[in-house]
Amino acid sequence: MKKRLRTLVVWILVSLMLQFGGYTLLNNQIKQVMGLTGADGEAPITSQLKATIPSSNITNIQVSYAKDYLAYSENGTLKIFNLKKAAVVFEKKSPAATDQTLGVVTYQWLPDRNILLYFYAKKNPNAVTTVKVYPSKPKISTPSIEPKTEDPNQAKIVTKEVPAVPKLEKRYGSPQITELYSLELPNSDEDAAPDDNLNTFDPPSGGEEISEGGKIEKFVVSTTTNLMYLTVSNGSTQQLMKIDVMKKVTTLNKSKELIDNMATSDRYGTLYIDSKVGVAQQVVAINNDKRLVISKNSNDRILGVRNGKVYIGEVENNQLVKLKTTADLQVMKENPTLKTEWEGTIPFNQKVRTLIGVTGQLIVYDDQTANIIKDGKLTTTNLQGDENYVTVDGVELIQLTRSGTSSLVELQPLKV
């Protein structure tokens, strides 16, 4: 009996150990897929790749989350380059070579999948339509006497409605329409073609609503809520638009509001914006279309959101002088406490790009220098190449060097 009991206990312990090991492995794999941490809690594993793109005129370079595809624009054409196979596997040309407002106007990789979202503008085939407009009231004819029988004394007076004649009037819509596509890439080792899907707006006029604004400036995505936010400007006016999971387009901005930058929560889908109305500059959170003021300091700017923290920078005279954070909560409160994480000076002008890495590091960089703030300490790294880009997880550097009619792309870990 005791022997059987010992055997049973041993098997229970073995089963628990296997389950614990399986759960740990699954948890680590999920973290790696989501780009959060490696199996040992360290930064994600980076790739070291070199590839030559047969063009020197490429712009807006973006690498996929798996770091095996490169998206870029070449003379108005969107191209996807397979870094492992060193080949272009997809391209989307503009419908008009001479009109720079048409074609692919903006694009962005999803942070957790090899899917590229892009907006494509084209001429509206129904920009001018003709409709029939009927009078609001039917036209009544002159009364006439209609004999009821042969006896004239029994005649009655009747009136008849004259059939309404419609007028033809023209209706004018947006001269162009903007479409939303999702391009899904296969594993980079496979030969399957990318899956290019058109996402239909609801109502279909949503594409015209975006086009009426003009130029798409900022575009951010919340993968947790499948919400997309974009700012569309036309001259001095700007619109903040939301596209939900049903592809319904709604406008969120206030009258005469200008938005310099925005970021979404990676947990709750809350949108954080730099809002300016007149002379008032604020950092504002929008959740379920409800607005909350996060900071009234006119020098504060939203930098990003990652792993439960909202990162706000204080900027004076084109210099970042302070890094502050607050908790990214499901239910935000107005004027939360901001914790100062770092103080100093970093160049902060229109040439720099910023992002928050997976370990909570703030990266402010241009084509020559990367300034990295982590755990309250600043590290400066000199960059090589003609142009440099940092992946959205903050761990890999994309170095671009132009040579004649080609461009050398090199992926390497970002040294801190």
Side-chain angles (χ1 to χ4, degrees):
M1 184 67 180
K2 292 183 179 180
K3 185 176 180 181
R4 290 181 180 179
L5 183 60
R6 284 198 300 268
T7 302
L8 179 60
V9 171
V10 169
W11 277 111
I12 290 174
L13 291 174
V14 170
S15 177
L16 290 174
M17 292 176 63
L18 289 174
Q19 289 183 44
F20 179 77
Y23 290 146
T24 302
L25 178 61
L26 178 61
N27 183 57
N28 289 331
Q29 287 178 337
I30 290 174
K31 288 183 177 181
Q32 288 178 320
V33 169
M34 294 301 293
L36 300 177
T37 58
D40 297 322
E42 299 178 353
I45 298 173
T46 58
S47 301
Q48 286 190 287
L49 293 172
K50 287 185 179 181
T52 300
I53 298 176
S55 175
S56 60
N57 187 25
I58 60 177
T59 58
N60 195 8
I61 296 172
Q62 297 182 32
V63 69
S64 65
Y65 107 97
K67 302 180 179 70
D68 48 2
Y69 287 104
L70 204 68
Y72 61 88
S73 179
E74 180 185 356
N75 298 322
T77 298
L78 169 66
K79 294 189 177 183
I80 307 298
F81 190 84
N82 186 320
L83 289 166
K84 291 185 177 180
K85 294 186 176 182
V88 174
V89 295
F90 176 84
E91 63 179 54
K92 188 80 170 237
K93 296 181 178 180
S94 172
T98 58
D99 191 344
Q100 296 183 353
T101 63
L102 301 180
V104 177
V105 292
T106 190
Y107 49 89
Q108 180 177 302
W109 290 102
L110 291 183
D112 57 353
R113 282 159 282 176
N114 271 3
I115 293 180
L116 183 79
L117 299 179
Y118 69 90
F119 287 93
Y120 186 83
K122 65 180 183 180
K123 291 291 185 182
N124 186 353
N126 299 313
V128 181
T129 56
T130 302
V131 297
K132 293 180 179 180
V133 180
Y134 289 87
S136 58
K137 294 182 179 180
K139 186 176 181 181
I140 306 300
S141 65
T142 303
S144 62
I145 298 176
E146 181 180 289
K148 186 175 182 181
T149 63
E150 293 181 356
D151 184 355
N153 294 325
Q154 296 184 11
K156 65 177 182 178
I157 299 175
V158 297
T159 58
K160 295 181 179 179
E161 291 186 3
V162 177
V165 178
K167 292 183 179 180
L168 297 179
E169 292 186 3
K170 290 184 177 181
R171 296 287 188 267
Y172 297 89
S174 174
Q176 74 180 50
I177 189 167
T178 302
E179 299 171 327
L180 173 63
Y181 284 83
S182 55
L183 180 68
E184 185 171 0
L185 280 299
N187 188 295
S188 55
D189 295 324
E190 299 176 1
D191 294 326
D195 190 8
D196 191 26
N197 297 301
L198 171 64
N199 295 270
T200 304
F201 290 113
D202 181 26
S205 60
E208 290 190 55
E209 291 180 21
I210 297 174
S211 298
E212 287 175 357
K215 181 182 178 182
I216 298 177
E217 293 181 325
K218 302 292 183 181
F219 174 39
V220 295
V221 180
S222 169
T223 55
T224 56
T225 58
N226 290 320
L227 293 175
M228 289 171 276
Y229 300 94
L230 57 153
T231 56
V232 187
S233 66
N234 189 347
S236 59
T237 62
Q238 188 186 65
Q239 288 182 302
L240 171 62
M241 295 186 172
K242 178 180 73 173
I243 305 175
D244 63 19
V245 66
M246 303 304 294
K247 304 303 180 291
K248 181 181 179 181
V249 181
T250 55
T251 302
L252 300 177
N253 60 298
K254 290 183 175 181
S255 176
K256 298 182 180 180
E257 181 179 43
L258 296 178
I259 298 169
D260 294 328
N261 195 26
M262 58 185 183
T264 57
S265 166
D266 54 347
R267 292 186 175 183
Y268 309 115
T270 305
L271 178 69
Y272 297 89
I273 63 173
D274 290 334
S275 169
K276 185 176 182 181
V277 180
V279 296
Q281 176 94 39
Q282 298 177 329
V283 178
V284 175
I286 303 176
N287 194 345
N288 294 325
D289 300 343
K290 181 181 179 181
R291 285 174 167 253
L292 297 167
V293 176
I294 303 302
S295 173
K296 293 182 179 180
N297 186 338
S298 61
N299 292 325
D300 281 354
R301 302 290 184 270
I302 184 68
L303 300 177
V305 189
R306 174 82 77 165
N307 295 341
K309 275 188 178 182
V310 181
Y311 293 76
I312 295 172
E314 189 170 329
V315 180
E316 296 179 357
N317 300 320
N318 292 328
Q319 296 283 325
L320 178 66
V321 298
K322 190 179 293 186
L323 173 62
K324 297 176 281 189
T325 63
T326 189
D328 176 31
L329 303 176
Q330 187 172 8
V331 179
M332 293 296 295
K333 296 181 180 180
E334 284 205 336
N335 302 312
T337 301
L338 301 181
K339 178 184 177 182
T340 299
E341 304 276 357
W342 169 87
E343 290 186 75
T345 56
I346 293 177
F348 199 87
N349 50 46
Q350 294 183 348
K351 294 182 179 180
V352 302
R353 296 180 287 272
T354 63
L355 61 90
I356 308 299
V358 291
T359 59
Q361 74 274 33
L362 169 67
I363 304 175
V364 182
Y365 72 101
D366 56 21
D367 288 328
Q368 289 79 41
T369 307
N371 292 292
I372 304 170
I373 300 174
K374 183 178 180 182
D375 299 328
K377 297 180 180 179
L378 171 64
T379 302
T380 300
T381 301
N382 294 324
L383 306 178
Q384 305 298 319
D386 300 325
E387 296 177 21
N388 294 279
Y389 303 86
V390 179
T391 54
V392 293
D393 55 16
V395 301
E396 186 132 11
L397 179 68
I398 311 166
Q399 181 177 295
L400 177 69
T401 304
R402 304 182 192 275
S403 178
T405 58
S406 62
S407 300
L408 175 63
V409 177
E410 183 175 357
L411 273 68
Q412 57 185 305
L414 176 61
K415 298 179 181 179
V416 179

